[in-house]
Short mmCIF file of all heavy atoms in Angstrom, two decimals:
data_model
loop_
_atom_site.label_atom_id
_atom_site.label_comp_id
_atom_site.label_asym_id
_atom_site.label_seq_id
_atom_site.Cartn_x
_atom_site.Cartn_y
_atom_site.Cartn_z
N GLY D 671 -121.26 20.82 -202.67
CA GLY D 671 -120.08 20.00 -202.95
C GLY D 671 -120.41 18.53 -203.14
O GLY D 671 -119.86 17.86 -204.01
N PHE D 672 -121.36 18.01 -202.32
CA PHE D 672 -121.65 16.57 -202.39
C PHE D 672 -122.17 16.17 -203.77
O PHE D 672 -122.01 15.03 -204.19
CB PHE D 672 -122.61 16.14 -201.27
CG PHE D 672 -123.98 16.77 -201.29
CD1 PHE D 672 -124.95 16.35 -202.19
CD2 PHE D 672 -124.31 17.78 -200.38
CE1 PHE D 672 -126.22 16.93 -202.20
CE2 PHE D 672 -125.58 18.37 -200.38
CZ PHE D 672 -126.53 17.95 -201.30
N GLN D 673 -122.79 17.12 -204.48
CA GLN D 673 -123.36 16.79 -205.79
C GLN D 673 -122.27 16.41 -206.81
O GLN D 673 -122.55 15.72 -207.78
CB GLN D 673 -124.20 17.96 -206.31
CG GLN D 673 -125.47 18.17 -205.47
CD GLN D 673 -126.18 19.48 -205.77
OE1 GLN D 673 -125.54 20.52 -205.91
NE2 GLN D 673 -127.49 19.43 -205.89
N ASN D 674 -121.06 16.87 -206.58
CA ASN D 674 -119.96 16.49 -207.47
C ASN D 674 -119.61 15.01 -207.34
O ASN D 674 -118.87 14.47 -208.17
CB ASN D 674 -118.69 17.30 -207.13
CG ASN D 674 -118.87 18.76 -207.43
OD1 ASN D 674 -118.95 19.16 -208.58
ND2 ASN D 674 -118.95 19.58 -206.37
N PHE D 675 -120.09 14.38 -206.26
CA PHE D 675 -119.71 13.00 -205.99
C PHE D 675 -120.91 12.04 -206.09
O PHE D 675 -120.81 10.89 -205.69
CB PHE D 675 -119.04 12.91 -204.61
CG PHE D 675 -117.81 13.77 -204.52
CD1 PHE D 675 -117.89 15.07 -204.04
CD2 PHE D 675 -116.58 13.30 -204.97
CE1 PHE D 675 -116.76 15.88 -203.99
CE2 PHE D 675 -115.45 14.10 -204.92
CZ PHE D 675 -115.54 15.40 -204.43
N GLY D 676 -122.03 12.56 -206.59
CA GLY D 676 -123.19 11.71 -206.86
C GLY D 676 -123.83 11.08 -205.62
O GLY D 676 -124.34 9.97 -205.70
N VAL D 677 -123.75 11.78 -204.48
CA VAL D 677 -124.38 11.23 -203.27
C VAL D 677 -125.44 12.20 -202.75
O VAL D 677 -125.42 13.39 -203.07
CB VAL D 677 -123.35 10.98 -202.13
CG1 VAL D 677 -122.41 9.84 -202.50
CG2 VAL D 677 -122.57 12.25 -201.79
N VAL D 678 -126.35 11.66 -201.94
CA VAL D 678 -127.32 12.51 -201.24
C VAL D 678 -127.16 12.26 -199.74
O VAL D 678 -127.44 11.16 -199.26
CB VAL D 678 -128.77 12.18 -201.68
CG1 VAL D 678 -129.76 13.04 -200.90
CG2 VAL D 678 -128.94 12.41 -203.18
N PRO D 679 -126.69 13.26 -199.02
CA PRO D 679 -126.53 13.06 -197.57
C PRO D 679 -127.87 13.07 -196.86
O PRO D 679 -128.90 13.39 -197.45
CB PRO D 679 -125.70 14.29 -197.15
CG PRO D 679 -125.70 15.23 -198.29
CD PRO D 679 -126.27 14.56 -199.49
N ASP D 680 -127.83 12.71 -195.58
CA ASP D 680 -129.04 12.78 -194.76
C ASP D 680 -129.10 14.10 -194.01
O ASP D 680 -130.18 14.56 -193.63
CB ASP D 680 -129.05 11.62 -193.74
CG ASP D 680 -128.93 10.29 -194.45
OD1 ASP D 680 -129.88 9.90 -195.14
OD2 ASP D 680 -127.85 9.65 -194.35
N ILE D 681 -127.92 14.67 -193.75
CA ILE D 681 -127.84 15.94 -193.03
C ILE D 681 -126.77 16.79 -193.73
O ILE D 681 -125.70 16.28 -194.08
CB ILE D 681 -127.44 15.73 -191.55
CG1 ILE D 681 -128.41 14.76 -190.84
CG2 ILE D 681 -127.37 17.06 -190.81
CD1 ILE D 681 -128.05 14.48 -189.37
N VAL D 682 -127.08 18.07 -193.92
CA VAL D 682 -126.10 18.99 -194.55
C VAL D 682 -125.85 20.14 -193.58
O VAL D 682 -126.81 20.77 -193.11
CB VAL D 682 -126.64 19.54 -195.89
CG1 VAL D 682 -125.62 20.47 -196.53
CG2 VAL D 682 -127.00 18.40 -196.84
N THR D 683 -124.58 20.41 -193.30
CA THR D 683 -124.26 21.58 -192.48
C THR D 683 -123.60 22.64 -193.36
O THR D 683 -122.91 22.31 -194.33
CB THR D 683 -123.31 21.22 -191.32
OG1 THR D 683 -122.09 20.68 -191.85
CG2 THR D 683 -123.93 20.21 -190.38
N MET D 684 -123.85 23.90 -193.02
CA MET D 684 -123.29 24.99 -193.84
C MET D 684 -123.08 26.22 -192.95
O MET D 684 -123.65 26.30 -191.86
CB MET D 684 -124.24 25.31 -194.99
CG MET D 684 -125.56 25.86 -194.53
SD MET D 684 -126.88 25.67 -195.73
CE MET D 684 -127.51 24.05 -195.34
N ALA D 685 -122.26 27.14 -193.42
CA ALA D 685 -122.00 28.37 -192.65
C ALA D 685 -121.39 29.39 -193.60
O ALA D 685 -121.94 29.62 -194.68
CB ALA D 685 -121.06 28.06 -191.48
N LYS D 686 -120.23 29.94 -193.23
CA LYS D 686 -119.42 30.84 -194.05
C LYS D 686 -120.15 31.54 -195.21
O LYS D 686 -120.68 32.63 -195.05
CB LYS D 686 -118.22 30.07 -194.58
CG LYS D 686 -117.23 29.65 -193.46
CD LYS D 686 -116.02 28.99 -194.04
CE LYS D 686 -115.05 28.47 -193.01
NZ LYS D 686 -114.10 29.45 -192.50
N GLY D 687 -120.16 30.92 -196.39
CA GLY D 687 -120.66 31.56 -197.61
C GLY D 687 -122.13 31.92 -197.56
O GLY D 687 -122.58 32.79 -198.31
N LEU D 688 -122.90 31.31 -196.68
CA LEU D 688 -124.32 31.62 -196.57
C LEU D 688 -124.53 33.07 -196.17
O LEU D 688 -125.46 33.73 -196.63
CB LEU D 688 -124.99 30.66 -195.56
CG LEU D 688 -126.40 30.98 -195.10
CD1 LEU D 688 -127.38 31.01 -196.28
CD2 LEU D 688 -126.89 29.94 -194.08
N GLY D 689 -123.68 33.57 -195.29
CA GLY D 689 -123.89 34.92 -194.78
C GLY D 689 -123.01 35.98 -195.43
O GLY D 689 -123.21 37.16 -195.20
N ASN D 690 -122.02 35.56 -196.24
CA ASN D 690 -121.10 36.52 -196.86
C ASN D 690 -120.48 37.43 -195.80
O ASN D 690 -120.25 38.61 -196.02
CB ASN D 690 -121.86 37.36 -197.91
CG ASN D 690 -120.95 38.06 -198.89
OD1 ASN D 690 -120.07 37.46 -199.49
ND2 ASN D 690 -121.13 39.37 -199.04
N GLY D 691 -120.27 36.87 -194.60
CA GLY D 691 -119.69 37.66 -193.52
C GLY D 691 -120.63 37.82 -192.34
O GLY D 691 -120.18 38.11 -191.23
N ALA D 692 -121.92 37.64 -192.55
CA ALA D 692 -122.86 37.69 -191.42
C ALA D 692 -122.76 36.36 -190.67
O ALA D 692 -122.58 35.32 -191.29
CB ALA D 692 -124.28 37.89 -191.92
N PRO D 693 -122.85 36.42 -189.33
CA PRO D 693 -122.72 35.16 -188.57
C PRO D 693 -123.98 34.33 -188.67
O PRO D 693 -124.93 34.51 -187.91
CB PRO D 693 -122.47 35.65 -187.14
CG PRO D 693 -123.04 37.02 -187.09
CD PRO D 693 -123.04 37.58 -188.48
N ILE D 694 -123.99 33.44 -189.63
CA ILE D 694 -125.14 32.54 -189.78
C ILE D 694 -124.65 31.19 -190.31
O ILE D 694 -123.73 31.14 -191.14
CB ILE D 694 -126.23 33.13 -190.69
CG1 ILE D 694 -127.45 32.20 -190.74
CG2 ILE D 694 -125.71 33.46 -192.09
CD1 ILE D 694 -128.71 32.85 -191.28
N ALA D 695 -125.26 30.15 -189.79
CA ALA D 695 -124.94 28.79 -190.23
C ALA D 695 -126.24 28.00 -190.17
O ALA D 695 -127.24 28.50 -189.66
CB ALA D 695 -123.88 28.17 -189.33
N ALA D 696 -126.23 26.79 -190.68
CA ALA D 696 -127.48 26.04 -190.72
C ALA D 696 -127.23 24.54 -190.81
O ALA D 696 -126.18 24.10 -191.27
CB ALA D 696 -128.31 26.50 -191.92
N VAL D 697 -128.25 23.80 -190.37
CA VAL D 697 -128.27 22.35 -190.53
C VAL D 697 -129.58 22.00 -191.24
O VAL D 697 -130.66 22.31 -190.74
CB VAL D 697 -128.27 21.62 -189.16
CG1 VAL D 697 -128.11 20.12 -189.37
CG2 VAL D 697 -127.18 22.16 -188.26
N THR D 698 -129.47 21.40 -192.40
CA THR D 698 -130.66 21.02 -193.16
C THR D 698 -130.73 19.50 -193.19
O THR D 698 -129.72 18.83 -193.45
CB THR D 698 -130.60 21.58 -194.59
OG1 THR D 698 -130.54 23.01 -194.51
CG2 THR D 698 -131.85 21.19 -195.38
N THR D 699 -131.92 18.98 -192.93
CA THR D 699 -132.07 17.53 -192.92
C THR D 699 -133.52 17.15 -193.28
O THR D 699 -134.30 18.01 -193.69
CB THR D 699 -131.64 16.94 -191.55
OG1 THR D 699 -131.69 15.52 -191.61
CG2 THR D 699 -132.52 17.43 -190.41
N ARG D 700 -133.83 15.86 -193.15
CA ARG D 700 -135.20 15.43 -193.40
C ARG D 700 -136.02 15.61 -192.12
O ARG D 700 -135.48 15.54 -191.01
CB ARG D 700 -135.21 13.93 -193.79
CG ARG D 700 -134.45 13.62 -195.06
CD ARG D 700 -134.81 12.23 -195.57
NE ARG D 700 -134.52 11.18 -194.61
CZ ARG D 700 -133.33 10.59 -194.50
NH1 ARG D 700 -132.33 10.95 -195.30
NH2 ARG D 700 -133.13 9.63 -193.61
N MET D 701 -137.32 15.77 -192.29
CA MET D 701 -138.19 16.00 -191.13
C MET D 701 -138.07 14.91 -190.08
O MET D 701 -138.02 15.18 -188.88
CB MET D 701 -139.65 16.15 -191.61
CG MET D 701 -140.63 16.45 -190.51
SD MET D 701 -140.23 17.99 -189.62
CE MET D 701 -141.23 19.15 -190.56
N GLU D 702 -137.99 13.66 -190.52
CA GLU D 702 -137.95 12.55 -189.53
C GLU D 702 -136.71 12.64 -188.63
O GLU D 702 -136.74 12.27 -187.47
CB GLU D 702 -138.00 11.18 -190.24
CG GLU D 702 -136.94 11.06 -191.29
CD GLU D 702 -136.86 9.70 -191.97
OE1 GLU D 702 -137.29 8.70 -191.38
OE2 GLU D 702 -136.31 9.64 -193.08
N ILE D 703 -135.60 13.16 -189.18
CA ILE D 703 -134.38 13.32 -188.38
C ILE D 703 -134.51 14.56 -187.50
O ILE D 703 -134.22 14.54 -186.30
CB ILE D 703 -133.14 13.40 -189.29
CG1 ILE D 703 -132.98 12.09 -190.07
CG2 ILE D 703 -131.89 13.72 -188.48
CD1 ILE D 703 -131.86 12.08 -191.09
N ALA D 704 -134.99 15.65 -188.11
CA ALA D 704 -135.13 16.92 -187.39
C ALA D 704 -136.05 16.76 -186.18
O ALA D 704 -135.82 17.35 -185.12
CB ALA D 704 -135.67 17.98 -188.33
N GLN D 705 -137.09 15.94 -186.36
CA GLN D 705 -138.09 15.78 -185.31
C GLN D 705 -137.49 15.29 -183.99
O GLN D 705 -138.00 15.59 -182.92
CB GLN D 705 -139.15 14.77 -185.77
CG GLN D 705 -140.54 15.36 -185.80
CD GLN D 705 -141.41 14.64 -186.81
OE1 GLN D 705 -141.03 13.60 -187.33
NE2 GLN D 705 -142.58 15.21 -187.06
N LYS D 706 -136.41 14.55 -184.07
CA LYS D 706 -135.81 13.98 -182.86
C LYS D 706 -135.32 15.07 -181.90
O LYS D 706 -135.17 14.85 -180.70
CB LYS D 706 -134.63 13.07 -183.23
CG LYS D 706 -135.05 11.84 -183.97
CD LYS D 706 -135.85 10.91 -183.06
CE LYS D 706 -136.41 9.75 -183.85
NZ LYS D 706 -137.30 8.90 -183.05
N LEU D 707 -135.07 16.24 -182.47
CA LEU D 707 -134.57 17.35 -181.65
C LEU D 707 -135.72 17.99 -180.84
O LEU D 707 -135.48 18.73 -179.90
CB LEU D 707 -133.94 18.40 -182.57
CG LEU D 707 -132.88 19.31 -181.98
CD1 LEU D 707 -131.73 18.54 -181.38
CD2 LEU D 707 -132.36 20.25 -183.07
N ALA D 708 -136.95 17.69 -181.27
CA ALA D 708 -138.11 18.32 -180.63
C ALA D 708 -138.53 17.60 -179.35
O ALA D 708 -139.47 18.01 -178.68
CB ALA D 708 -139.27 18.36 -181.62
N GLN D 709 -137.80 16.51 -178.99
CA GLN D 709 -138.22 15.74 -177.80
C GLN D 709 -137.89 16.47 -176.50
O GLN D 709 -138.41 16.15 -175.44
CB GLN D 709 -137.58 14.35 -177.80
CG GLN D 709 -136.06 14.37 -177.76
CD GLN D 709 -135.48 12.98 -177.93
OE1 GLN D 709 -135.42 12.24 -176.98
NE2 GLN D 709 -135.09 12.63 -179.14
N ARG D 710 -136.99 17.45 -176.58
CA ARG D 710 -136.65 18.29 -175.43
C ARG D 710 -136.60 19.73 -175.93
O ARG D 710 -136.61 19.98 -177.13
CB ARG D 710 -135.27 17.91 -174.87
CG ARG D 710 -135.26 16.65 -174.04
CD ARG D 710 -135.86 16.95 -172.67
NE ARG D 710 -135.74 15.82 -171.75
CZ ARG D 710 -136.60 14.82 -171.67
NH1 ARG D 710 -137.64 14.76 -172.49
NH2 ARG D 710 -136.45 13.88 -170.77
N VAL D 711 -136.48 20.68 -175.00
CA VAL D 711 -136.37 22.07 -175.43
C VAL D 711 -134.99 22.30 -176.03
O VAL D 711 -133.98 21.90 -175.43
CB VAL D 711 -136.56 23.03 -174.22
CG1 VAL D 711 -136.44 24.48 -174.67
CG2 VAL D 711 -137.92 22.79 -173.58
N HIS D 712 -134.94 22.88 -177.20
CA HIS D 712 -133.66 23.26 -177.78
C HIS D 712 -133.78 24.66 -178.33
O HIS D 712 -134.73 24.98 -179.04
CB HIS D 712 -133.24 22.29 -178.90
CG HIS D 712 -131.81 22.49 -179.29
ND1 HIS D 712 -131.43 23.43 -180.22
CD2 HIS D 712 -130.67 21.94 -178.82
CE1 HIS D 712 -130.11 23.41 -180.32
NE2 HIS D 712 -129.63 22.52 -179.48
N PHE D 713 -132.85 25.51 -177.99
CA PHE D 713 -133.01 26.93 -178.31
C PHE D 713 -131.66 27.55 -178.59
O PHE D 713 -130.65 27.17 -178.02
CB PHE D 713 -133.67 27.63 -177.10
CG PHE D 713 -133.82 29.11 -177.28
CD1 PHE D 713 -134.71 29.62 -178.22
CD2 PHE D 713 -133.07 29.99 -176.52
CE1 PHE D 713 -134.86 30.99 -178.39
CE2 PHE D 713 -133.21 31.36 -176.68
CZ PHE D 713 -134.10 31.85 -177.61
N ASN D 714 -131.64 28.53 -179.50
CA ASN D 714 -130.41 29.24 -179.84
C ASN D 714 -130.78 30.72 -180.00
O ASN D 714 -131.49 31.09 -180.93
CB ASN D 714 -129.85 28.66 -181.15
CG ASN D 714 -128.49 29.23 -181.49
OD1 ASN D 714 -128.26 30.41 -181.34
ND2 ASN D 714 -127.60 28.37 -181.95
N THR D 715 -130.30 31.56 -179.09
CA THR D 715 -130.74 32.97 -179.03
C THR D 715 -130.62 33.68 -180.38
O THR D 715 -131.54 34.35 -180.82
CB THR D 715 -129.92 33.73 -177.97
OG1 THR D 715 -130.16 33.13 -176.71
CG2 THR D 715 -130.33 35.21 -177.91
N PHE D 716 -129.45 33.54 -181.01
CA PHE D 716 -129.24 34.28 -182.26
C PHE D 716 -129.55 33.45 -183.50
O PHE D 716 -129.44 33.96 -184.62
CB PHE D 716 -127.80 34.79 -182.35
CG PHE D 716 -127.47 35.79 -181.27
CD1 PHE D 716 -126.53 35.50 -180.30
CD2 PHE D 716 -128.11 37.01 -181.23
CE1 PHE D 716 -126.21 36.41 -179.31
CE2 PHE D 716 -127.82 37.93 -180.23
CZ PHE D 716 -126.87 37.62 -179.27
#
Side-chain angles (χ1 to χ4, degrees):
F672 62 76
Q673 292 168 317
N674 294 290
F675 301 92
V677 292
V678 178
D680 303 292
I681 305 179
V682 181
T683 60
M684 66 201 87
K686 293 185 184 276
L688 169 60
N690 198 50
I694 184 164
V697 187
T698 300
T699 185
R700 298 195 301 274
M701 182 59 93
E702 53 176 336
I703 297 175
Q705 239 154 11
K706 293 292 173 186
L707 205 57
Q709 61 187 279
R710 283 284 187 274
V711 179
H712 193 274
F713 177 68
N714 187 318
T715 298
F716 296 115

